[in-house]
Amino acid sequence: YMGNSINIAGKNRFLTSNLMFSITEYFIENNSDSSKINYAIDQLESNILVLKQGGKISEIDLKPLPSEFLDDWYNIYQKWRLLKSLTNPIMKENQIINPAMLFTTTTTTSSTTENEIDTFIKTIQTGALPLVNSSNVLVTKLGEHAKNSSQHSIFLHVLFALLNIGVISAFVIYLSKKILKPIFALTTATSAITKGNLDVSVKIKGNDELSRLSQSFNVMVNSIKNFITKQNELTKKLEKANEELQYKYLIKEEFINVASHELRTPIQSILGLSELLHFSTIKNITNI
């Protein structure tokens, strides 16, 4: 919309030049065709009014001129009124009169009339120049305003992009923490288990895959603890049974030693007497 306002404000210069061309052409051709001048005046005036109040002109939609430019618009409007008043000599009840009737006096000569027409045209041209300059001023200010607005808009876009990046980054960090926290807890618990500490558990609430994995991990750890507990109990029972076997083995050995000792004493006597009897029998047989 600001660009459209710049275009319409710049169009004032073209329409002013068009009005000057129509007036000049009117005098050069020396005719009473008022349509071109009327059309040029209506176009320029409509263009100036629409520039302030907004609307649609030349298939361009305009918003009302911002308040900070109204002083410049009033300056243009005053210059337009002055230019319009300069055209009054060729107007009579809003109708263009014949050029030959403009400068008729009792002493009018052809050269005098041409000089007066030239002077009149130059006067209108002089009055049109401030209107063109005022339009240039407004176009320049609107352009600067559009440039500043564009820069401000770019700044806002950049700021908004940075905010978006910040929000997205925060969201990504939040999701990362939400996802990585249970993974980190599982990793820490696994490291503790590899070191022999089974008194660990992963406390994760929720119903997602990581929560179910954490629950399965806790069930696995409890199963391992129960298995190790039972294994320790069986080991203790085996150790106790082994101790009892060792004790019985010692008793058996002691019994065998005692029995062997007790049996060896009478057997030695019997063996000695048997050998003595054996030698005596052999000797008696030899003597016979």
Side-chain angles (χ1 to χ4, degrees):
Y1 282 103
M2 183 59 66
N4 291 341
S5 296
I6 293 173
N7 290 335
I8 296 302
K11 191 177 178 181
N12 285 338
R13 299 172 295 187
F14 166 75
L15 294 176
T16 302
S17 300
N18 185 54
L19 175 60
M20 294 304 304
F21 177 77
S22 298
I23 293 175
T24 304
E25 186 181 33
Y26 169 77
F27 283 106
I28 291 175
E29 294 181 358
N30 194 19
N31 58 41
S32 58
D33 184 8
S34 62
S35 59
K36 290 185 178 181
I37 296 179
N38 282 328
Y39 182 73
I41 290 175
D42 291 341
Q43 269 197 321
L44 181 55
E45 191 164 32
S46 298
N47 198 78
I48 292 174
L49 294 176
V50 172
L51 178 62
K52 176 191 175 186
Q53 62 194 18
K56 191 168 186 178
I57 184 171
S58 301
E59 301 301 325
I60 296 176
D61 290 323
L62 289 182
K63 281 188 176 181
L65 196 67
S67 58
E68 60 264 33
F69 301 107
L70 289 181
D71 289 341
D72 296 293
W73 181 87
Y74 282 118
N75 190 25
I76 292 174
Y77 186 68
Q78 292 297 327
K79 298 298 187 299
W80 161 241
R81 291 183 62 183
L82 176 61
L83 177 61
K84 191 175 181 180
S85 66
L86 293 176
T87 63
N88 287 337
I90 59 174
M91 300 291 294
K92 185 176 182 181
E93 296 180 355
N94 294 329
Q95 296 294 326
I96 301 295
I97 64 173
N98 193 300
M101 301 173 58
L102 279 174
F103 308 104
T104 56
T105 62
T106 56
T107 59
T108 299
T109 63
S110 177
S111 60
T112 303
T113 301
E114 290 179 359
N115 290 334
E116 289 175 339
I117 291 176
D118 290 340
T119 303
F120 177 75
I121 292 176
K122 290 180 181 179
T123 301
I124 294 179
Q125 289 176 344
T126 303
L129 185 59
L131 177 59
V132 173
N133 292 335
S134 299
S135 298
N136 288 335
V137 171
L138 180 58
V139 169
T140 301
K141 290 186 177 181
L142 288 174
E144 291 176 354
H145 180 77
K147 181 180 178 181
N148 294 333
S149 298
S150 176
Q151 292 176 348
H152 183 66
S153 177
I154 293 174
F155 172 76
L156 290 178
H157 278 82
V158 172
L159 180 61
F160 184 70
L162 292 176
L163 289 176
N164 278 339
I165 293 173
V167 171
I168 293 173
S169 299
F171 183 68
V172 170
I173 292 173
Y174 169 76
L175 288 180
S176 299
K177 285 186 176 180
K178 188 175 181 180
I179 295 173
L180 294 178
K181 184 177 180 181
I183 296 176
F184 179 75
L186 286 170
T187 304
T188 303
T190 304
S191 299
I193 290 174
T194 56
K195 294 178 181 179
N197 182 16
L198 295 176
D199 295 327
V200 294
S201 62
V202 181
K203 297 180 180 180
I204 301 295
K205 296 181 180 180
N207 195 28
D208 54 3
E209 289 77 5
L210 288 174
S211 299
R212 290 193 288 271
L213 177 62
S214 300
Q215 293 173 0
S216 300
F217 180 83
N218 292 334
V219 171
M220 180 191 70
V221 172
N222 289 329
S223 299
I224 294 174
K225 288 175 65 177
N226 293 332
F227 175 78
I228 292 176
T229 300
K230 291 181 180 180
Q231 188 179 22
N232 290 335
E233 291 176 355
L234 291 175
T235 301
K236 289 180 180 179
K237 289 181 180 180
L238 288 173
E239 289 176 352
K240 187 176 181 181
N242 187 44
E243 289 177 357
E244 290 178 356
L245 288 174
Q246 291 290 337
Y247 177 71
K248 290 179 180 180
Y249 177 78
L250 291 175
I251 292 175
K252 183 192 73 171
E253 290 293 325
E254 185 178 356
F255 173 76
I256 291 173
N257 290 332
V258 172
S260 176
H261 179 72
E262 293 297 330
L263 289 174
R264 185 180 296 115
T265 300
I267 288 174
Q268 290 295 332
S269 301
I270 293 171
L271 289 174
L273 291 174
S274 296
E275 290 180 357
L276 180 60
L277 180 61
H278 176 69
F279 286 125
S280 297
T281 303
I282 292 174
K283 185 178 180 181
N284 290 329
I285 293 173
T286 302
N287 291 330
I288 293 173

